[in-house]
Amino acid sequence: DPKIIQKPKYLVAVTGSEKILICEQYLGHNAMYWYRQSAKKPLEFMFSYSYQKLMDNQTASSRFQPQSSKKNHLDLQITALKPDDSATYFCASSQTGRGDTQYFGPGTRLLVL
Amino acid sequence: DAKTTQPDSMESTEGETVHLPCSHATISGNEYIYWYRQVPLQGPEYVTHGLQQNTTNSMAFLAIASDRKSSTLILPHVSLRDAAVYHCILRVASTGANTGKLTFGHGTILRVHP
């Protein structure tokens, strides 16, 4: 059974719209992360949360907002979508959030038209 | 986190043992060496990590130089499923200031031929 679930797997959106990317982990971890990978580029760190509190935000735009309703959930809300937001978004988790091993989900591929 | 240098790509044949090098000349004493691999359309997969001693698991052997300025990920008897981009990443050990950020580069594309 998959330990980190990301939904949906694929997402197509129109410019200016809003979407929520879902991430759930069943590893019993206390830290969760979001990364983004645009075409032909390395993975780029976006956010880290530990015990449902924001640890680090490396995203310049406030259009990206993580939402943690439960310890094992970290959703990503993206507002006013732009074509440049098209990328694959990966969720990850780790036990504590302090230098321990991160495990990644399968990703959500977002295409903004 | 300090920077790593890896070759852009490497070629191999099924059944061979592959040595993937990584240079990290400015590594700090409290930085771990992590290896992840990624195949297209999938998330990165953890391979192994180490601090000073060589490590081994079911996926690979990690050889760390005595001065820690370089390391080599050794993949025994590679198969087509081992074809991926391999990332060598430095991570600061657990501290209060650590926010968990992993910094990925372009990694090494490993191609495996039948």
Side-chain angles (χ1 to χ4, degrees):
Chain A
D1 292 333
K3 301 299 185 183
I4 300 180
I5 297 172
Q6 290 191 244
K7 296 183 286 190
K9 189 172 183 178
Y10 301 99
L11 189 56
V12 179
V14 296
T15 297
S17 67
E18 172 183 314
K19 293 294 181 185
I20 296 179
L21 282 55
I22 306 295
C23 178
E24 306 170 5
Q25 56 89 5
Y26 296 94
L27 294 165
H29 289 167
N30 298 300
M32 297 184 71
Y33 313 82
W34 278 102
Y35 290 79
R36 171 174 55 194
Q37 187 170 34
S38 303
K40 305 295 185 184
K41 292 184 179 180
L43 265 82
E44 175 189 12
F45 173 87
M46 299 179 73
F47 299 97
S48 60
Y49 266 65
S50 179
Y51 295 91
Q52 295 186 268
K53 293 184 179 179
L54 179 67
M55 287 199 301
D56 194 2
N57 177 358
Q58 297 280 318
T59 304
S61 173
S62 60
R63 296 186 299 108
F64 296 85
Q65 291 292 329
Q67 299 173 342
S68 181
S69 58
K70 300 179 185 178
K71 190 180 81 168
N72 69 325
H73 284 232
L74 186 64
D75 301 335
L76 181 63
Q77 179 185 39
I78 313 174
T79 58
L81 279 160
K82 303 177 180 180
D84 279 351
D85 297 329
S86 297
T88 301
Y89 291 80
F90 292 102
C91 173
S93 71
S94 69
Q95 187 62 48
T96 66
R98 290 186 175 180
D100 48 355
T101 302
Q102 293 181 25
Y103 298 90
F104 286 78
T108 291
R109 296 187 72 185
L110 172 65
L111 176 62
V112 183
L113 302 174
Chain B
D1 294 333
K3 183 180 176 182
T4 63
T5 302
Q6 300 178 252
D8 290 338
S9 64
M10 293 186 69
E11 307 276 338
S12 65
T13 303
E14 277 194 297
E16 287 183 342
T17 295
V18 173
H19 292 73
L20 297 171
C22 181
S23 173
H24 27 80
T26 59
I27 189 170
S28 300
N30 65 346
E31 286 185 306
Y32 283 86
I33 302 157
Y34 271 79
W35 284 83
Y36 283 83
R37 69 182 185 184
Q38 187 180 19
V39 298
L41 306 180
Q42 293 186 24
E45 178 185 22
Y46 167 76
V47 178
T48 189
H49 74 281
L51 183 64
Q52 195 161 6
Q53 303 298 321
N54 297 339
T55 62
T56 188
N57 62 22
S58 59
M59 295 179 72
F61 179 81
L62 177 60
I64 301 173
S66 56
D67 63 4
R68 301 208 327 124
K69 293 185 177 182
S70 67
S71 59
T72 302
L73 184 71
I74 301 171
L75 304 175
H77 310 297
V78 293
S79 69
L80 296 177
R81 290 175 295 180
D82 293 314
V85 179
Y86 285 78
H87 296 277
C88 172
I89 300 169
L90 301 183
R91 284 288 308 279
V92 176
S94 299
T95 67
N98 191 324
T99 65
K101 174 182 176 181
L102 280 175
T103 302
F104 285 83
H106 289 281
T108 297
I109 300 171
L110 176 63
R111 297 185 178 91
V112 181
H113 302 284

